[in-house]
Amino acid sequence: MLQLENVSVRFGSQTALDGLWHTFEPGHIYGLVGPNGCGKSTLMKTCAGLLKNFTGNVIYQGKHVDTSARGRIAYMPTHSVYYRYMTPEDMGSFYEDFFPDFSRTEYRNMLNYFGLDANQRLYNMSTGMVAKVRAAATLSRNAGLILLDEPLNGMDLLGQEQMRQILLSLKRPDRSIIVASHMFGQLEAVCDRVVMMNAGKVILFGDIQEMTAQYGMSVSDLYCHTFAQILQAQAQSQAMGGMKQ
């Protein structure tokens, strides 16, 4: 179980996470959604133990998350952090050296599933191909918590479907998978829970089937409806402020 207790992150005068409370339970695939700048990536980095300057508590499996948690948590950031001269085979060696829970066999099987050449240089690959390599490396770890930040970026339609199938195959009772994406419409069929963020806070969350029944619309439509209302309220507030001046 991953618990966030009154977590706040600030970068100078900017608040990225604002007193956030939430619990991510095992056995579920969570969709983490919200507009650009709402705090999704900051939340993922904090949960992965990559950010030190935050207040509150981040607890995973009863232990406070810090840099040592990287061995228990599989995290795929938005942007590649690997040397472009590497091959997928090189990347597998890198992961094997750093993560005891990494399966080289699973990794090679996943590369084959994506149709990738394990000996091709990353700099000769397209953005989508590199995304598949990075996803394969992350998802070949036997971690109880998997964090994926915008995993579909650059992937073609086939790659997106392959990712959906892989995520479904990795779901298990003792594992939490959290996927942050602005392409939630492509992942809604995979996720069973959703966490909607705005301005560093969780504003809506729940079981996707229950929310669909309650609101009479898909979560993607609910997302658009919710943020249309937020933008309308902000515009009205600004207009009222201008009238008072």
Side-chain angles (χ1 to χ4, degrees), residues 88-223:
E89 192 68 21
D90 294 332
M91 191 178 294
S93 298
F94 175 86
Y95 265 73
E96 198 168 42
D97 289 341
F98 278 89
F99 303 110
D101 63 357
F102 178 76
S103 169
R104 193 64 169 261
T105 300
E106 185 66 26
Y107 177 61
R108 285 171 174 162
N109 289 340
M110 215 171 288
L111 291 178
N112 288 334
Y113 180 64
F114 279 127
L116 298 170
D117 180 354
N119 296 306
Q120 183 178 359
R121 302 288 180 184
L122 296 183
Y123 62 71
N124 287 327
M125 291 185 172
S126 67
T127 300
M129 293 169 71
V130 173
K132 293 174 184 178
V133 175
R134 295 172 58 233
T138 304
L139 297 175
S140 293
R141 291 185 54 196
N142 187 29
L145 176 60
I146 298 175
L147 308 171
L148 304 173
D149 196 355
E150 302 291 354
L152 300 184
N153 277 4
M155 287 193 187
D156 55 30
L157 292 177
L158 176 58
Q160 293 175 22
E161 175 59 24
Q162 290 171 321
M163 272 295 297
R164 287 190 287 268
Q165 294 304 317
I166 291 172
L167 289 174
L168 287 172
S169 73
L170 293 175
K171 184 178 180 180
R172 67 189 197 198
D174 62 341
R175 170 180 282 161
S176 302
I177 301 175
I178 306 173
V179 186
S181 180
H182 63 276
M183 300 172 66
F184 186 68
Q186 305 299 324
L187 289 168
E188 187 166 350
V190 173
C191 300
D192 59 323
R193 292 191 176 181
V194 66
V195 177
M196 199 175 296
M197 292 183 64
N198 188 48
K201 293 179 178 290
V202 173
I203 61 170
L204 194 63
F205 66 92
D207 179 274
I208 287 182
Q209 288 188 347
E210 293 176 359
M211 293 175 71
T212 300
Q214 177 182 351
Y215 293 100
M217 62 180 78
S218 68
V219 173
S220 296
D221 289 339
L222 177 61
Y223 172 92

Side-chain angles (χ1 to χ4, degrees), residues 41-68:
S41 292
T42 301
L43 174 59
M44 299 287 266
K45 291 175 184 176
T46 306
C47 292
L50 298 179
L51 293 184
K52 297 180 180 180
N53 298 324
F54 67 90
T55 58
N57 297 306
V58 181
I59 302 170
Y60 174 58
Q61 293 181 336
K63 297 180 181 179
H64 288 269
V65 169
D66 55 23
T67 53
S68 66

